[in-house]
Structures are given as structure tokens and as C-alpha cells.
Amino acid sequence: MTFASDQCLPPNSRPAVHVDDHDDGAFSQTEGAGNSDRGLAARMPFFASSSSSSTELNSQVAERPSSRTLLYPHTPNYSNPSLCSTATATPMPSRTTSPLYAQDDSASSCSSDSEEGELESSLLHESHRRSFSLTETPRWWANGPSRRRRRDLSWLGTCRWGFRRFVLPFIPKTPLTIIFTLLVLTAFSISLTYLIIYLCNPDKEPLPWRGYCTIPNYSTEPPPSFLGAYASFPIHPPSITDFTPTSFPPDNLDSLSPAGVFVGVFSMDTGFERRMLIRSTYASHARSRNGAGEGDGGVGTSRTVVRFIMGRPRKDWEQRIHLEMQTYNDIIILPIKENMNDGKTYSFFSWAATGAWVPPLYSNFDSVPQNLSYANLTSPAPILANHDPILARQDAQSGSPKPWVPPDFIIKADDDSFVMLAELEAHLRVELHGGPLPRHYNKSPVLIAPPASSNQSTVYHPPNDDPLIYWGYTVKNRFMGGELYALSHSLVDWISKDPGAKEHVTGAEDQTTARWVRWHPRADDVRWVRERCWIYDHPKAGTVYSRGFLFPSEAKRVQTGIISDIQRWYKSYKSPPSPERSSSDIVPEDFVPVFGPHGETPSSWVLSSVSTFQVRYSPPVPGLSSDHSIEALVEGSDISRLTKWNATAADEAWQNREGRIRRYEGKRVGGTTVVHSIKKHLWFLEAATALLEGEDYTESELAQGAAEASPNFAELVATLDR
């Protein structure tokens, strides 16, 4: 700033300019110790005499030994009044000097401007001998390196131009446009999410479950690699006139010795509530272990045990898991970190090959498997769990319990599956005692399975050999679903010892298990037993495998409808006569509607009265009571078919429901085996109520005399009266 005044001071009274005011360095290394006084004088804010002339100033500057290049141009000393000012000089500046370049006042009225210019030219570096303006940007790019920097940053200007030209006009600026933009982005995100889910979901079409419950499995060979993943019925039925739907169980089931079944339920340290639900329902319930109706007193599941399998618990859960193990005696801790698809299944099979034990036979049976390689292995009876077989607990109370033996089947199950133990054991018992003769066997088969009069295929068991059985729900003709699958003891023992299986333990565990089975030295002899009727997902799961809780009576009605469809299609099929196809009851190889690798799924075979694929479940009518809502989840029930609210219709449908005797058609087993994808505890309780609870005879059936053929009819009537 410049102080204006009417009077001017003498030119020689102006203080000297200090060129080191902005010097932030020390003395030059060339300056000696003897020059310290001169250096100190050069850094004094004022010269000794304020009346020094410009000549003296130049001489003092010339004497200053400094080879440094000035970093800043001359900054006027505003603490000294100008020659035209009447203000007195102050010893200290009124404000700190600014590092910015000062603007030369070309319009100054002082007569010493030219002298200052000469002084400034003598002091400044050549690159700084110019005037600077606070209103103009310094032309720092005039130098060579700065030009290169400008060229390097040219892309930044292009980006800025493109942003202003193409992006900025589309950015919403008003509240209305901002809200609209947010809505559009939200809709786009949701649509993209559903598109990704659809593309990643391999199950895009419902499955013909009604056909699965009707058409028998005509082959237990491993699925060929060329078979399509979605070929539902690649093998044609041999005949239409003699076509017999699947029927279970065989008439002589109770004469076959029970199978030893070790059920390993995969769990984790935080799954205490689900473990308690399993302990109190299917692991111990009489209808799960004994079957429907009068049951068998637990004989069939006398060799079936349930244990929970988990990896090492976390530090915060160690004490709780330890106390739970001491209380229930049903937890197996594997020496691995808890995981799902990183080797837990292999670790379980490796342990089960030598560590899994089941109770022995407690009774005599007409048929008992012979010459099993593991039949003579025994182990002392362990401490029993409360849900272990009742016959095993009675044997433990006798004081001299029998030793336990290796299981015939080791089962891997998920804790989101509800398992009917009697049904599971009955299926595995039939497979243990027989099966189709393997292709590569020439030994004389021994018939030990149900006779042909029971409408069952003749099944055989090769003597002097352990059975090789892989049982479960076949997914895409490639592997058994991970909700529950069973491996015979021989397969588990081989997996635990094979070095190749040990090196391939990661990946989807159910698919990994199928690869192990295909690597077996006798892979062609392994019986792939497919069960796709009595294993399904919970009706509320909404998956491609979901349907209502299924019972044998409804399955019988389903089979009647499927047989009618096949016969109608066959009659409408037109083909020219040929010598090779003289019999009219033989299905042609090009029977297109359903059968064959490229068969089409009939829409009528996927219908369910309870659930619809990709549609969230909702009750058929609102306001249903607890009992009515459970009945609405039963496949084919009258309540599940209601379409509008009508209290009278709902009550009438409830009165017309079937009792357990009619639903199981008077048999002990033959119904649902596994309900999977139970993601909520409420769903688990619904499955338990639908499959384990309910009367053997309803009031309506008793009133209509539907149970007159039962020998216990009078007793049941008396029980209901009480």
C-alpha cells in the first residue's frame, strides 16, 4: 500500500530495501566465519542510517557475498512511508509481508520510481525481472518444463469439457427431478438384481413331480455323462398295458432285518434352537420312529441313531457347546474349522468310516444280509442320548449291553431338513437286502427281496460282497441333493482311504460326493437309487422342488391321473405299422410328449394344490385357524383347494379331511421321507405338526363307519368318547 500526502520527504531519507526478507535459508556454505558480521548486518531489518543514499545502498549490496538465486521478487516495505508521505517511519511493519507477488504501482507520484526499478533489476534474477499483477495469473508456463506439464495435463481439460458438455446438463437440480432420478435408479437396481438371480438360478421351470411319483425308476445305473441335466424321463416305460406305478413298501418289509443307519445332521455352534427342535420332534417322536397307525414298536429304527456334526466351535461358544455335549450326548466335533464346502463332508466320512456305530440286531428276522466285510467289527455301547432307540436304552438298562456295530448306511443331512426316520430306514432296508443284479456280475444271484406277486421288480443281492448304494434325490441327473443322501458303508470306507478323494474336498459338497462315487474302482456297479417323490421342499419355500405335504392316499390319486394321461396320449399317437412293432402295447421309441432325453414336461404334471413355482405362498382364504392353516398345507386337501373366503366351506372342508389311517392306506410307512428347505423355525413346527400329529380317524370317518374294518375300531371309539 502507498501512503499519500501533500508533502514529500527527501529522497535520501527513504530506508533501504532488504532483499533477504523472504530468505528462508541460512548463510551460503561459501561464506566463512569471518563474514558472519556482514551476514548479520545484511539481515537487519533497517540500515544504521536512514539517510543513506542509493549509492551507499548499492555498495552495501555489492559487498554482500551471496550467490543464491532469489526466490521472490522485491516486496515493498510498507512499514516505511513513501517520499511523498508525511507519516513517520515506524520501526516494525504494520502487518506481515505477504509471499504473493506485489503489484508495482506504475501510477505512483514519487520521483524515485525509476531508481527503484533500477535497484530491483539489479537484485532480481533474470526470470523475475517483470511486473506481476494480483489480477493476472502468473505466466509460469512460459518456461520449458512448465510447457511439458501443460501438455501432460491436457487430458484433464478434455475431461472437464466433456463433463460440462455431456454430463452436467443431465444432473438433476430441482427437488422433483432429484426424486424422479432416485426412483428410476431404484427400479433399475431392482430389475438388475432380479435379472442376475434369474440368470444364476439353474431351476427355471417346475418339475413334473406327479410323474416322479408314478413312473418307476427303471435303472439304477450311474447317469451317463451325455444325459441332459433336465431330462426328466430318459427311459421309456416298457409297456402300457402292464405299466404298474411305483408302490412302497413291499409286503414282506417287516420280515427283513432293519438296516443300521447313522444319521449325521450337519450343524454349527449357533444352531442350538434347531438342534432342540430336532431332538424333540423327528429324532424321538414315536410316529417318526415307529411309523403310522399302530407302528412296529420301534423295531425298524432300533438301529437308527441321530448325531449332530460340527467343526470346532468358536471361542465364545466353546463352553456352551461343551455343556450341551455333556447334557445330550449327541454332538460330534470334527477336528476342522467349521465350514460347509471346504472339506467338512470329507472329514465327516473319514471319521464315520471308523467312528460311527449303531446298535446291533435285538431280534431274529427271516432275512439277514450275510458275508458283510464289516459284520464282525464291534465297539462297546456308548453313552446314549435321550432320543436313541428305545430298544437300545432298554438294553443299556439291563446291565450287560450288547456291543455296537458299524452302520450299513452313513447319511449326511442338513439341519433344515425334516426327516421321518421310519420312512428313511424302510427305503434303505429294501436296498440293503436287494437290488438289480449289477451288469458285470456273473455270480448266481440269491433272491431275498419281495416276490413278484407283490407287484415289485425282482431284486437280487450279490453274495459275498458289500452293497454299493448311493441313495437320495437326483438333481439334474448328476448328483444327490445335499439335503439328505445315504452312502453304503463300503463307499464311505473307500472315500476315507482314497488319496484322490482326499485331494479334492472343496466345492459344493453334494456334487463333490458324486464325483467321489464316480471315481470308485467299481463305479459301474454302484446303485444310484433315485427317490424324487417323497423328498421335496417345504410348501412355503417357493422353490422348484416345493409342494404340499404328501401322503400315500393323495399319491395314489396322482398316479391314477398320470396313468390316464399316458394312455390317452398313447391312443392318440399315430404311427405306421411295421414288423418290428407288431404289438400295440409297446411304447414307440419316438414317443415325444414326455419320455426320452428331449421329452417335454406336461403342464398338468407340475400342478400343486398348495404351492406355485416362483410365487410366494399365501393361505387359500384369510383368517384360517391354526389347525385349518396346517391342513391347507397338505397336498390335495379340500382346504388347500378353496379359492375364496367362505366360513361354511372352510368348516366343511375341515370336517372332510382324512385321518392318518386313510392317508397311509392302512400301512405303517410309504409316505413323506424328507422335507427340505425349512428356513424358519415356524416352518419346522408346521412340518412336524402335519407329519407327526393328527388323529388316526377323524370324527367324520367314525360317524360314517370308515373305520369298521379296523380290528381296533371299538377301542378307538371308546378312546374318542373318553
Side-chain angles (χ1 to χ4, degrees), residues 399-419:
S400 57
K402 295 181 179 181
W404 285 26
V405 298
D408 300 308
F409 294 94
I410 290 91
I411 290 179
K412 180 266 170 184
D414 290 338
D415 61 354
D416 65 343
S417 298
F418 190 94
V419 186

Side-chain angles (χ1 to χ4, degrees), residues 75-130:
T75 303
N77 190 350
Y78 297 113
S79 63
N80 186 35
S82 66
L83 297 179
C84 299
S85 174
T86 59
T88 59
T90 57
M92 296 296 291
S94 60
R95 59 181 178 181
T96 54
T97 58
S98 172
L100 297 175
Y101 296 110
Q103 178 180 3
D104 291 340
D105 192 0
S106 60
S108 174
S109 61
C110 297
S111 60
S112 60
D113 287 347
S114 60
E115 297 179 359
E116 290 184 6
E118 296 176 357
L119 175 62
E120 200 172 315
S121 300
S122 63
L123 295 179
L124 291 177
H125 190 271
E126 182 179 359
S127 62
H128 292 274
R129 292 175 186 174
R130 53 174 304 274

